[in-house]
Amino acid sequence: MRLSQLFTKTSKTISEETESINARLLTRAGFIKQEIAGVYNYLPLGLRVLNKIENIVREEMNTVGVELLLPTLTSQERWRDTGRLESVDVLFEARGANDPSREKNDATYIVNPTHEDVITPIMKDFIASYKDLPRAVYQIQTKFRNEPRAKSGVLRGREFRMKDLYSFHKDEADLKRFYEAMKPVYTRVYERLGLGDDTFLCLASGGDFTDDYSHEYQVVLPAGEDTIYLDRANKIAYNKEVATPEDAAKLGVNFDTLEEVRASEAGNIFPLGTKYSKSLSLEYTDEQNQRHLVWMGSYGIGTSRLMGIIAEKFADDKGLVWPESVAPYRYHLVALGSGEAQHAATKLYEELGAEQVLFDDRSDVSAGQKFGDAELIGCPIRLVVSDKTLERGIVEVVSRSGSFDQIEMELSHAKEKLAELNA
């Protein structure tokens, strides 16, 4: 991608109302633009990052489930059947513009914040026997929640992207087997995103779903909204909400000996049990022709939220620093100087490929601004071709994360040598 063809621009300033680090940096770098509080437009660079995050999540979920896509809108009836219409306080409702009634009625639809109420009735058409179990399906979709505290950029929005997977089982034992099998799948996701070292499996409240604990995946983050007690040696954590004397005794943990840190939730897994199958009559027939409720589990990852976590986790005082796996481009190529240097940079751009390179080919921008933009945008490797480097037949190579010192490469062999670099 040539920067001269990209309609977005970086900025040095941002509204003082923008509180979170991720929103400030992503906005200044031209990745997102706020529409209203808690709702963001994903501009070309931001969309590339979001797509890369979701592709990693999708590849790992494909190892355990089958992808589908569920609707944004559903009837109130689904939510009445599960008893959640009045109990869930973040619901958005939608009504047709031509609806003659302005009162709350059956013509009002739910804008789904989650999809247990939708997927369960669907599976009734496809689960009849024990032979149909277990099953796991997932989607990556836009969700909507009437979030009263939408002040954390893409970390806590009213409109956001999410992967939600639902599993269906013949009994609790099979649910627990699958539940445990999902843990390493999630671990691989965070490792591939560059978050593996600071992501911890965290015990949390089971909420309405179970008397037992559920699990979150928490990323250590100074500006995180959660407080966790961290056991680094055993790679596990405990959400502060479960750090009661009763929980300490039950878990055999002395919370006073653990490290207390701020963190941000990067995913969760819940054993739903038979809550939804009972409300919506999802049953199967066993080998003895007896009817039983299906056991369910839910497994979520906020993909747009992950974008904000990664942005905050690796940023420095100069701007964003993207891990290579999710960076909008691997290389940020800067051309400086005469037409000859521009020509040489263009040739390198074509050799490396437009999918790999963000090429700053602008002719009306100073070298200082080009370097500042490269640091703000945060691609892993910066390449500089100038009149001076061209005299020696080399390209300057700089790591944005500092993983290696500035090096020089012969232009004629740059493509091969760059492929060997670990950014």
Side-chain angles (χ1 to χ4, degrees):
M1 167 64 75
R2 293 173 180 264
L3 266 177
S4 62
Q5 298 175 346
L6 192 63
F7 69 89
T8 58
K9 299 181 185 300
T10 61
S11 61
K12 294 182 179 180
T13 60
I14 190 172
S15 170
E16 293 181 358
E17 296 179 359
T18 305
E19 299 177 7
S20 64
I21 296 170
N22 73 85
R24 290 200 300 269
L25 288 176
L26 291 170
T27 301
R28 285 188 54 219
F31 284 68
I32 63 173
K33 180 176 175 58
Q34 182 173 290
E35 183 66 22
I36 57 175
V39 179
Y40 290 88
N41 299 283
Y42 286 81
L43 304 177
L45 295 179
L47 182 59
R48 285 183 67 88
V49 172
L50 183 61
N51 284 341
K52 289 188 175 186
I53 292 171
E54 293 187 347
N55 285 340
I56 287 173
V57 172
R58 177 175 286 110
E59 288 170 5
E60 295 300 335
M61 294 308 115
N62 282 342
T63 68
V64 292
V66 178
E67 187 173 10
L68 47 65
L69 183 62
L70 301 173
T72 295
L73 295 178
T74 193
S75 69
Q76 287 190 359
E77 180 182 359
R78 295 293 192 210
W79 286 74
R80 286 198 188 98
D81 290 342
T82 57
R84 297 211 296 168
L85 184 60
E86 303 299 335
S87 64
V88 177
D89 60 2
V90 295
L91 291 181
F92 273 119
E93 297 176 338
R95 185 167 48 232
N98 297 323
D99 185 354
S101 171
R102 306 311 294 175
E103 302 296 327
K104 187 173 183 179
N105 56 49
D106 288 339
T108 302
Y109 304 97
I110 298 299
V111 185
N112 288 303
T114 181
H115 278 80
E116 291 88 350
D117 310 75
V118 178
I119 189 61
T120 307
I122 291 175
M123 298 308 285
K124 287 176 64 176
D125 290 339
F126 303 103
I127 294 176
S129 162
Y130 69 95
K131 296 178 182 179
D132 299 321
L133 297 168
R135 287 286 184 265
V137 297
Y138 79 94
Q139 64 172 342
I140 299 176
Q141 195 226 34
T142 302
K143 307 284 191 182
F144 301 86
R145 293 180 185 174
N146 190 13
E147 174 58 61
R149 297 174 295 164
K151 296 182 179 180
S152 301
V154 297
L155 288 180
R156 186 186 293 276
R158 293 189 170 103
E159 177 180 328
F160 57 96
R161 296 284 291 177
M162 180 177 172
K163 182 281 303 179
D164 45 329
L165 183 146
Y166 303 99
S167 65
F168 303 84
H169 310 271
K170 65 179 182 179
D171 53 32
E172 186 177 13
D174 191 59
L175 168 59
K176 287 184 175 180
R177 177 200 61 78
F178 186 86
Y179 190 90
E180 290 301 315
M182 283 298 293
K183 291 178 181 178
V185 176
Y186 267 49
T187 297
R188 289 198 301 270
V189 169
Y190 302 121
E191 288 175 346
R192 293 181 62 184
L193 294 173
L195 294 169
D197 290 344
D198 284 314
T199 301
F200 295 85
L201 183 65
C202 181
L203 266 69
S205 168
D208 296 333
F209 303 118
T210 175
D211 292 331
D212 202 352
Y213 300 102
S214 64
H215 293 85
E216 303 166 337
Y217 286 81
Q218 292 274 2
V219 179
V220 176
L221 196 67
E225 67 273 33
D226 293 328
T227 299
I228 63 174
Y229 292 99
L230 186 58
D231 182 347
R232 289 186 185 270
N234 294 307
K235 195 69 175 177
I236 193 167
Y238 305 87
N239 195 302
K240 193 172 184 178
E241 67 182 6
V242 304
T244 66
E246 294 77 15
D247 286 318
K250 181 178 178 181
L251 295 166
V253 175
N254 182 356
F255 294 116
D256 292 335
T257 66
L258 300 182
E259 181 183 356
E260 184 176 333
V261 298
R262 301 293 293 177
S264 187
E265 184 182 334
N268 54 62
I269 55 179
F270 286 99
L272 299 176
T274 58
K275 174 181 173 64
Y276 293 97
S277 55
K278 184 177 182 179
S279 298
L280 299 168
S281 302
L282 176 58
E283 300 178 335
Y284 73 96
T285 302
D286 68 12
E287 296 91 331
Q288 287 75 44
N289 206 34
Q290 299 295 310
R291 300 290 289 170
H292 302 276
L293 290 171
V294 172
W295 286 71
M296 294 173 56
S298 175
Y299 316 81
I301 293 179
T303 53
S304 54
R305 180 181 178 83
L306 276 170
M307 182 175 170
I309 290 174
I310 294 169
E312 292 205 9
K313 182 67 180 176
F314 299 108
D316 60 19
D317 58 355
K318 297 177 182 178
L320 299 163
V321 185
W322 296 107
E324 186 168 347
S325 61
V326 299
Y329 296 90
R330 186 171 196 247
Y331 307 109
H332 192 123
L333 173 59
V334 176
L336 302 174
S338 68
E340 189 174 351
Q342 188 80 21
H343 176 75
T346 300
K347 183 178 178 182
L348 180 59
Y349 169 66
E350 293 171 347
E351 289 176 355
L352 295 174
E355 276 298 304
Q356 290 266 49
V357 185
L358 184 61
F359 179 23
D360 194 342
D361 61 336
R362 296 173 295 177
S363 59
D364 57 345
V365 174
S366 69
Q369 183 174 339
K370 287 189 176 187
F371 289 140
D373 284 352
E375 289 173 334
L376 177 59
I377 291 170
C379 296
I381 297 175
R382 187 180 75 204
L383 309 174
V384 180
V385 177
S386 66
D387 292 331
K388 290 183 178 180
T389 67
L390 199 56
E391 288 176 0
R392 299 165 55 207
I394 59 100
V395 55
E396 291 179 352
V397 183
V398 179
S399 167
R400 179 65 183 89
S401 67
S403 62
F404 58 82
D405 295 330
Q406 179 175 315
I407 58 178
E408 297 177 348
M409 291 181 180
E410 293 183 17
L411 262 174
S412 58
H413 297 92
K415 182 178 180 179
E416 295 79 9
K417 294 295 183 181
L418 286 168
E420 299 171 0
L421 272 182
N422 183 1

